[in-house]
Amino acid sequence: MPRLHSRVTAAPRHRHTPRAFSLAMTAHASHPKSPRPVSLSDLGRLARGRIPGQVVIQYTDRCNASCVQCGMRTGNRFTRSTLRPDFLAPQIEAMAARGVAAISFTGGEPLLCLEDIAPLARRAREAGIRYVRTGTNGFYFRDHERLDFAARVAQLADTLLASGFNAFWISLDSAEADLHEANRGLPGVVEGIRKALPIFHAHGLYPAANLGINRTTGGRTTDGDDAPPPHDPHRPDSFDAAAFTGFFREAFRRFYAFVESLGFTTVNACYPMSAEESPPGGGDVADESAVSAHEAVYAATSADDFIRFSRQEKAALFAALFEVIPEFRGRLRIFTPRSSLLALMRRYGDGTPNGHYPCRGGIDFFFMDAARGHIFPCGYRGGEDMGLFSNFDPARVTTKPFCDRCDWECFRDPSELFGPVMDVFSRPLSLAKRFFSDAAYRRTWIEDMRYALACDGCSAVIPPRPAKLAHFARPRPSV
C-alpha cells in the first residue's frame, strides 16, 4: 500500500484553475494536433444524460508564492501534503478505464512537482485520457537576465509537450506588473513571461494567461486608484451599479490588452469566490452564497477583500466581462463562455428563474485532494468524501445535478455549455421552448459553440488561427 499523507488543515486558498472541459471537447477535428472529436461513446453518454468526465487532481499544496488570496501562500503554516506517483498511477488508470476524458494537475504550485506529474501525464495520455492540463504561478520565469534562461524555458516546453500536456496556463493577477509581482512575491516574473512566450511558441506550445478576477485586475486608473468604487454591502442603496460596471469594464479591457502585449494568444478568467471567516451563521458576510472555509476541502477561497464581492458587485462585474469579451474575441482566444456569464448575471441580478444549469460536480466532475488522494464532488463540498476513485464507478451515480452554490468556472462552465446538448436528448421540447422564449440566451450559447470551434478548443498545442477568429471581431462600442 503506498504511503498516503495526513489531511491538510489549511486556511482558504487560491487555485490554479483548470479550464472548462466543454470548450476542449469541441476542438476542431480537422487540425492534425486536435484530440479526436466527440466520439460515439461520448454521444452515448450524452444521450444517457451524462457528460464526458474530468477530474481535478490537487497533486500538492506546497507553494512558493505569497498571494493574498491564497491559503497555500508560502507564509501560511500548516501541514503540507503531496501525492506520490505510485499512489496516483493506478488511480489514473482507473479514471481512464471509467471513461474520464480530462484531468488537470493543480496545486499549490504544480511545477514544483514537475518530475512527478510529467510521467503521470504521459501515462494518462497513453491510457486514453484525451485532455491533460496543468499550470503555474510563473516562478519559472524569474531571473530572466540569467544566461541560461532561454535554455530553461525551452527545456520546460519540451518536457510539457513530450509528456502530452495539451493545456498549460500561467497566472496573472493584474494589468500592471508591479501589482501582480507584489501580490505574488515573485519580482521580475512578468518580464520573464514576456521573454518566455516566444520560446514556447517556437516549440509549438501556446500557454494561456489565467486571471483570477480581483479588485486590481485592471491595474491603476488615471487617478491612481487600483480598486473599484467602495460601498457598504449592508446598505444596498449605497451601491452604484453603473459606476462599478464601468470600472470593471475598463479593468477587463486593460487586462486583455496587457496580456496581448506580453505575447499571449489565449486568456482565461476565473470567477471570484469568497469564503466566510467562520462557519455559516457565524456573522455577516458580503455575499450570503460564500462557502465556509471550514467546509471546503480544496479551500481555494479567501475572506480577503482582494477577491471578496457582494451579490450586487458580482452582477455588475459579470456584466462588465460579458460586454468586454466580444471586443477581444477577434484577436485572442478567450476561454470564458458568455452564456455562463449571462447565467451568473441573472442569478445575482434579477434572479431570473431557470437561468442556469446546475453544476455536475459529483456526477461527471470530481476533485481529488492532496492529503489522502480521495475524491469529492468538487473542492467545496468537503463533507462528501467519496473515497478512492479506484473504488468508485461514476456510471452508478444516480444523483441529479442540483448544486449552484459556487461560481467557479472549472465545473460551472462545462455544466452550462453541455446543458442544452443533453436537453436535445432528454427534453427537446423544453429546449425548443427556452430557445424560442429567450433569444438572448439562444444567440449567446450558439455563438459560444461556434467560437469554441474557431478556437480549436483553446488548445495549447494548436496555434491560433487569425482568419477564423476574425469572424468574431466586434468593435468597442462608442460611449
Side-chain angles (χ1 to χ4, degrees), residues 331-382:
R331 310 200 307 264
L332 291 169
R333 297 187 293 189
I334 300 176
F335 284 84
T336 309
R338 295 174 74 239
S339 53
S340 188
L341 293 173
L342 182 61
L344 287 165
M345 290 159 54
R346 291 173 170 179
R347 176 189 180 193
Y348 288 116
D350 58 14
T352 301
N354 302 318
H356 69 278
Y357 287 89
C359 178
R360 302 191 66 82
I363 300 172
D364 300 306
F365 308 144
F366 306 92
F367 171 82
M368 176 184 286
D369 73 336
R372 293 187 296 169
H374 284 197
I375 57 168
F376 297 80
C378 65
Y380 292 117
R381 291 158 60 182

Side-chain angles (χ1 to χ4, degrees), residues 5-309:
H5 301 265
S6 60
R7 174 167 290 279
V8 175
T9 55
R13 60 205 206 211
H14 173 67
R15 84 287 196 193
H16 303 292
T17 305
R19 271 307 308 147
F21 171 53
S22 53
L23 294 188
M25 283 298 296
T26 57
H28 200 284
S30 66
H31 195 286
K33 289 188 177 180
S34 292
R36 69 179 185 269
V38 176
S39 64
L40 290 177
S41 63
D42 292 333
L43 292 175
R45 286 177 64 97
L46 291 166
R48 294 191 299 273
R50 303 299 296 270
I51 295 174
Q54 68 166 312
V55 181
V56 175
I57 300 170
Q58 184 198 23
Y59 193 80
T60 185
D61 55 28
R62 294 166 51 213
C63 196
N64 53 3
S66 58
C67 319
V68 68
Q69 72 270 33
C70 178
M72 292 179 292
R73 58 186 175 270
T74 185
N76 271 10
R77 293 187 177 183
F78 61 93
T79 302
R80 305 275 176 165
S81 299
T82 300
L83 297 175
R84 294 168 55 102
D86 58 350
F87 162 76
L88 191 53
Q91 301 303 311
I92 289 175
E93 295 285 348
M95 293 172 196
R98 288 161 174 74
V100 169
I103 63 173
S104 299
F105 292 97
T106 186
E109 170 50 39
L111 294 195
L112 291 176
C113 303
L114 182 59
E115 63 182 14
D116 288 350
I117 66 173
L120 287 168
R122 171 49 58 192
R123 185 163 186 165
R125 291 298 303 275
E126 291 173 349
I129 295 178
R130 285 173 278 170
Y131 308 97
V132 183
R133 303 166 296 200
T134 195
T136 181
N137 61 28
F139 78 96
Y140 244 83
F141 312 118
R142 296 175 300 180
D143 303 321
H144 56 85
E145 296 96 349
R146 288 176 48 174
L147 295 178
D148 66 343
F149 178 78
R152 286 191 290 114
V153 174
Q155 183 178 25
L156 174 60
D158 287 340
T159 298
L160 293 170
L161 289 167
S163 302
F165 285 103
N166 42 26
F168 178 60
W169 67 86
I170 302 171
S171 293
L172 277 174
D173 297 327
S174 176
E176 293 195 24
D178 65 326
L179 292 177
H180 171 77
E181 292 171 359
N183 181 48
R184 297 268 168 169
L186 300 173
V189 70
V190 173
E191 185 59 28
I193 292 171
R194 188 191 304 274
K195 292 182 178 179
L197 286 172
I199 301 172
F200 280 126
H201 295 171
H203 282 71
L205 186 65
Y206 299 86
N210 187 57
L211 165 68
I213 297 172
N214 64 81
R215 292 182 183 271
T216 68
T217 289
R220 298 177 183 86
T221 59
T222 54
D223 56 7
D225 191 11
D226 61 5
H231 84 282
D232 182 350
H234 302 292
R235 290 184 53 216
D237 60 337
S238 71
F239 181 63
D240 187 339
F244 198 92
T245 300
F247 178 92
F248 267 99
R249 192 184 296 119
E250 290 307 311
F252 290 127
R253 283 172 178 153
R254 289 195 296 269
F255 184 82
Y256 285 141
F258 175 63
V259 298
E260 186 179 27
S261 73
L262 290 178
F264 281 104
T265 61
T266 309
V267 61
N268 167 51
C270 300
Y271 313 144
M273 183 64 197
S274 59
E276 299 176 17
E277 294 176 318
S278 57
D284 292 328
V285 294
D287 175 12
E288 60 268 34
S289 70
V291 172
S292 168
H294 300 266
E295 177 186 4
V297 59
Y298 187 33
T301 59
S302 176
D304 195 281
D305 284 343
F306 189 74
I307 60 165
R308 189 173 170 86
F309 297 89

